[in-house]
Amino acid sequence: MADADLDVVIRQLARQLHTGLMTRAKERRDRFNGLAAKAKGKETGDRFKMMAKATMEQATAAAKRLQMSADNVADSYARAMRLAASTPVTVKVEKKAKDEKPAKKVKAKKAKAKKAK
């Protein structure tokens, strides 16, 4: 993974998170369905079934948002790297004349101060 591009790593991590999220959601759904089966009253059983259904809906929506965000980030990174690779590097040459002038003025002021004493 040392040579892998980061966009591939981002997508891979998102897949792992998606899998983990959906696994936990299914466990919780199964728990609520189990509680619905054990419920003594019809109303309580229906409430647990609705909770199980809502859990899966919310987890699915969260997983889609997670995947979409990861895809956007990975695409953005890949695009930025392509852009950085395609732009030519320009080297700026600093003018030495600007750097030397202030140094000469400081030396001249010091020399004048010594002569005045």
Side-chain angles (χ1 to χ4, degrees):
M1 214 155 73
D3 289 70
D5 287 331
L6 284 181
D7 60 327
V8 175
V9 174
I10 292 168
R11 291 177 202 279
Q12 183 181 20
L13 290 173
R15 268 195 302 275
Q16 290 173 354
L17 289 173
H18 180 272
T19 303
L21 176 65
M22 292 310 293
T23 300
R24 299 300 181 273
K26 288 175 184 177
E27 288 173 1
R28 181 156 295 185
R29 178 198 59 191
D30 293 343
R31 180 176 169 269
F32 285 136
N33 282 333
L35 290 172
K38 291 179 183 178
K40 304 237 182 218
K42 179 175 175 21
E43 197 174 293
T44 307
D46 289 343
R47 184 168 40 98
F48 280 125
K49 285 180 183 178
M50 282 179 32
M51 288 173 65
K53 183 179 178 182
T55 298
M56 283 308 293
E57 288 174 357
Q58 293 294 323
T60 302
K64 284 181 183 179
R65 285 193 303 269
L66 175 74
Q67 190 67 42
M68 193 180 324
S69 295
D71 285 340
N72 288 341
V73 169
D75 291 341
S76 177
Y77 174 79
R79 186 173 40 255
M81 288 299 106
R82 279 194 308 271
L83 183 66
S86 67
T87 56
V89 178
T90 57
V91 179
K92 292 184 178 179
V93 179
E94 294 182 16
K95 295 181 180 178
K96 293 184 180 181
K98 289 184 180 179
D99 293 338
E100 291 177 8
K101 287 180 182 177
K104 287 181 181 178
K105 288 180 182 178
V106 171
K107 288 181 183 178
K109 287 181 182 177
K110 287 182 182 178
K112 287 181 183 178
K114 286 183 182 179
K115 289 180 184 178
K117 288 182 182 181

